[in-house]
Amino acid sequence: MSLYPQLCGWRLRHLAAATFALLVRRWHAMVFLLLLLSPADMPLAEQLHLLATPVLQTVQTDHPARSIAVWATMLLLAWSWTALQGQAVAGGKAWDHLTAMPLAPRVAAAVDLTVLAIADLPLWLPFVAAVASLALQRTTTSGAMAAVLALAGQVPVVQCLALRRPRGVAYCVLGSCAGFAAIGASGQPWLLCAGTLAGMAAGLAHKPRARARAPRLRQPWLALRAHWSPGVQLAAITVRFLFGTGALGRHFGLLLTAAMPAPLFAFLQRGGVQAPVIAVALLLLLPPLLFRVAALALDVKRLHRPMERMHAALGIAAGTLFRITLLVLSAGFAVLSLPLAFTLWHASGSPMALALVPIGMAAMVAMAWLDRSGERGRFVSRVLVAALACGTLYALL
């Protein structure tokens, strides 16, 4: 077996062992949202076009500024997806050890791109829908199709550069921006394809300079104290893991979901949507928030797994650790759900919208409890819990 497939096999096995449950949960949440937002009476071609709208806006528009803004948002979401998986998609310490050996940079980059392309399967949906939508249109040019494929290929390249050579991302972004400006001036999608490919080639060819970094002293946040009880110390460790330094990238999607209610309300209100419809649209933001916060219980479980024997020696049972995790997650959910609760109150005019916080906390605890038996969880049961929480809130409003 040659070196490239062997390294790919190692990385994919590491990815499956480290973050397969995370990928399954993200697929569950995405399929659930697509089913909720998919109208039953809308033809498949129109649904594909709706799903492909962000991508089509970048290749079929005369407004370069809007195209650049849409594409920058999509690249930011792709970066957050990579940061969410952390070292699992980067290969961990074993890959760092391999790259310290005389390994050809081209082989390492090819392995990174292959693993990222497989880990990015949920991100390919808008591009697949865009290709299908363009194929169904009789007036579609080959240049538009090539531009979509070039933009799709840029997603793993940007993620790879963000992991290994962050400065190379600028070349990719500048190449795409030049392509958007060219397509806005001439209307030729082939120029966007050429600019994107040139930016990708420049980014991959960029070699960072090795610089000696002076060690930086960081003040510990929530440092443990000897007089604290074991329960308080475990809670502090959990809080520091979930919300401490470096957590922004891992939880970018969660923070984006928590900050979504106000912009969505403003967008729907400006579009003249009626208040009851706005309230229902805001309620649909509760299931993703529940799924994301409840999924953190599995991350905390993996954090404490190497210390199970020491916890047993200290008399800390697994049930106690799980209750501490639920307490921390409940407090975090209460804070993250406040924007949705107050926005729903403003949209519906009913103070009963604040009941979203306790009802959501109960639903989140139930979801985490369902996941406790196994990391695969019970998707149908969690969907029913989310639907019950949304139905209860809708009845109260």
Side-chain angles (χ1 to χ4, degrees):
M1 181 181 295
S2 61
L3 183 61
Y4 168 74
Q6 187 174 13
L7 292 179
C8 280
W10 290 352
R11 286 282 299 276
L12 291 176
R13 283 196 295 269
H14 172 75
L15 179 66
T19 189
F20 179 75
L22 176 64
L23 293 174
V24 170
R25 295 199 304 270
R26 297 297 175 253
W27 267 109
H28 286 172
M30 182 168 294
V31 171
F32 179 59
L33 286 178
L34 290 177
L35 290 177
L36 283 178
L37 300 176
S38 176
D41 57 347
M42 180 180 290
L44 179 60
E46 295 184 9
Q47 295 191 28
L48 288 175
H49 184 77
L50 182 63
L51 182 60
T53 298
V55 179
L56 295 179
Q57 285 290 327
T58 61
V59 298
Q60 294 180 340
T61 181
D62 296 331
H63 302 281
R66 184 172 62 182
S67 299
I68 293 173
V70 172
W71 184 238
T73 303
M74 296 184 69
L75 289 180
L76 183 62
L77 292 176
W79 168 80
S80 67
W81 175 260
T82 307
L84 184 69
Q85 300 176 70
Q87 288 297 318
V89 74
K93 296 182 179 179
W95 185 252
D96 294 338
H97 175 70
L98 284 175
T99 52
M101 299 180 179
L103 181 65
R106 293 183 179 179
V107 176
V111 173
D112 284 335
L113 292 175
T114 303
V115 174
L116 286 169
I118 295 175
D120 286 343
L121 290 179
L123 301 180
W124 297 120
L125 291 179
F127 296 97
V128 173
V131 171
S133 180
L134 291 174
L136 294 175
Q137 297 177 8
R138 297 181 179 179
T139 58
T140 301
T141 62
S142 57
M145 191 79 71
V148 170
L149 295 177
L151 292 176
Q154 193 183 54
V155 172
V157 173
V158 169
Q159 292 173 326
C160 178
L161 293 175
L163 288 174
R164 311 298 182 190
R165 291 169 281 181
R167 292 188 178 182
V169 176
Y171 293 96
C172 288
V173 176
L174 290 177
S176 297
C177 291
F180 288 130
I183 194 177
S186 63
Q188 296 295 328
W190 285 108
L191 297 178
L192 174 59
C193 178
T196 302
L197 293 177
M200 292 164 53
L204 292 174
H206 173 71
K207 296 181 180 180
R209 298 179 181 178
R211 295 182 178 180
R213 297 183 178 180
R216 294 183 300 174
L217 298 178
R218 296 181 179 180
Q219 295 294 331
W221 184 56
L222 283 179
L224 303 182
R225 302 292 186 266
H227 60 277
W228 285 357
S229 63
V232 175
Q233 291 181 345
L234 289 174
I237 292 173
T238 303
V239 171
R240 187 165 55 186
F241 169 72
L242 293 176
F243 308 108
T245 304
L248 177 60
R250 289 186 287 113
H251 305 315
F252 182 81
L254 175 60
L255 297 177
L256 186 63
T257 304
M260 187 64 66
L264 178 62
F265 172 72
F267 175 77
L268 295 178
Q269 190 180 40
R270 184 176 301 177
V273 181
Q274 298 180 356
V277 180
I278 295 178
V280 174
L282 291 174
L283 279 177
L284 292 179
L285 293 178
L286 179 60
L289 189 61
L290 291 173
F291 273 95
R292 289 183 179 277
V293 177
L296 296 178
L298 296 178
D299 297 336
V300 176
K301 181 179 179 181
R302 285 193 291 269
L303 170 69
H304 293 289
R305 183 175 296 166
M307 306 298 293
E308 287 180 352
R309 293 185 178 181
M310 191 183 80
H311 290 163
L314 295 175
I316 302 174
T320 302
L321 180 59
F322 184 68
R323 286 191 292 270
I324 294 173
T325 301
L326 291 182
L327 181 63
V328 173
L329 292 181
S330 299
F333 179 85
V335 176
L336 294 173
S337 62
L338 286 179
L340 178 58
F342 283 110
T343 306
L344 187 61
W345 183 5
H346 182 63
S348 63
S350 173
M352 294 302 297
L354 295 180
L356 180 143
V357 177
I359 293 176
M361 288 173 60
M364 186 275 301
V365 170
M367 287 184 178
W369 192 273
L370 290 172
D371 286 339
R372 187 184 181 189
S373 59
E375 292 193 355
R376 292 186 179 181
R378 297 177 175 87
F379 177 63
V380 177
S381 301
R382 291 183 294 162
V383 169
L384 293 177
V385 171
L388 180 60
C390 292
T392 304
L393 286 169
Y394 184 77
L396 291 176
L397 296 176

